[in-house]
Amino acid sequence: MLVLGAGPAGLVLGNILVDRGIDCVILERAERAHVQTRARAGFLAANTVRILERHGLAEGLHRHGQTHSTCEFRTEDGRFRLDYSGLGQGERHTVYPQQDLVTDLLTRFLERGGQIRFGTEAVTVRGADSERPEVAVREADERPGLWRARYVAGCDGRHGAARRSLPAGTVRHHRDHGVTWLGLLAEAPPSLDAVGYAVHAQGFAGHMARTSEITRYYLQWERGIPADAWSEEQIWHELELRMRATEYGPLRRGPLVQRAVVDLESDVLEPLRHGALFLVGDAAGLISPSAAKGANLAVLEAAILAPALVDDLTTGNSAGLDSYSARCLTHIWRAQEFSHWMIGLLHGPSGTDGESGFHNSLRRSRLTSLRTSRSHQDWFAEHYVGV
Ligand code: RFL
């Protein structure tokens, strides 16, 4: 079995396969240090934690992660909080930085006897319609190489080799939401004990804890402007303005140690299986970070694919592989729907969404409904923390 990419998808898949005795090699383009320090997600859904527990992969997140269940909305009509542990299915998030999860998964994979080749870039997947597909690679020393396996899992993200190797006729549903965020990591403790969503005439601002010393902030950003265009002082000033710090308290400032411009885009590929090639995680579908679903979907899809591969490779039962694409697409589209709804909740009009007054009033009405309607809050909680 060949797995392309050592992100959450590839490492969860690799761990389950190796644990079940399947011979599995992960090919990873980056070096180990890079993979273990790439800061991205942090909010793990309750179901993600259950999956990781079931496969003996949750020790680190239980030891160092923090449970979290409150979000706060700050708008022109005041602020309100939702404690979603008392709503919907009564579930919580676990906050655990993605790079720490990836480090745990990698350590466990190697302990279980899995093989991983860092610095090895998959270039193309050939022969997916055969019983012996092959992956052409660029090895760490730049020399070309070739790997063969019964199956290939494309867990190599949106720009990976799996996507580039898909046959004609693969459908890619794509949406550019017309909104851009500046993602920031501050070396500063969280400023509030909740996820903060600020809706402001100047644009959206967000606050999300990562650890007791690191906080993620987001600032809605003009597309095309580079991440370093503003000074730290300008950024903190804008965050405080949009988060209404004069009314609700100052932000705890610290050096901004990471800045990344993220154009909010979504796509879904259909189908997710092409013969012996399977798409998993961001390679299967990209989801905007507005509802923190990407890493959770990646883990879920890997946990659906792994037992199906084990069944096929050990007993010849291919039913799980046959239904992989349809099963995952159901989850992916539900997450996309919620994520899309969140974008509408948090932003002003964009692109072709039409006249601003109409859109703004809709958004305000949506927020009022969320503040006042218990059934709307239950719906929100179920989708916000679930995948
Ligand atoms: P990854 O994590 O991108 O890993 C893919 C791996 O494949 C390697 N690779 C290749 N290897 C070999 N050959 C090639 N040709 C290759 N091309 C690429 C890469 O080096 C990498 O190691 O994909 P995966 O595993 O599918 O996991 C997806 C998640 O990483 C992603 O969805 C999340 O980070 C999205 N996301 C969030 N998701 C959440 O669930 N909760 C969050 O709070 C959250 N916050 C975020 C996020 C994404 C963000 N960005 C950067 C868009 C916050 C941000 C700012």
Side-chain angles (χ1 to χ4, degrees), residues 70-74 192 194-198 204-208 243:
T70 315
C71 53
E72 177 172 307
F73 293 88
R74 297 179 176 185
L192 53 157
V195 172
Y197 296 111
F204 163 75
H207 160 283
M208 277 140 227
M243 295 201 66

Side-chain angles (χ1 to χ4, degrees), residues 5 10 38-40 73 128 165 175 196 254 265 288-289 294 327 370 379:
R38 199 166 33 199
R40 296 170 99 189
F73 293 88
S165 310
R175 168 128 176 136
E265 276 183 86
S288 86
R327 271 186 78 188
L370 193 57
W379 174 87

Side-chain angles (χ1 to χ4, degrees), residues 5-9 27-30 38 40-43 98 120-122 155-157 160-161 210 216 218 262 280-282 289 292-296 298:
L27 306 176
E28 166 58 53
R29 179 179 61 186
R38 199 166 33 199
R40 296 170 99 189
F43 272 66
Q98 180 168 325
T120 303
E121 181 177 7
C155 307
D156 50 350
R210 281 294 184 259
R216 190 176 267 300
Y218 290 112
V262 184
V280 194
D282 279 7
K293 297 288 183 213
N296 292 292

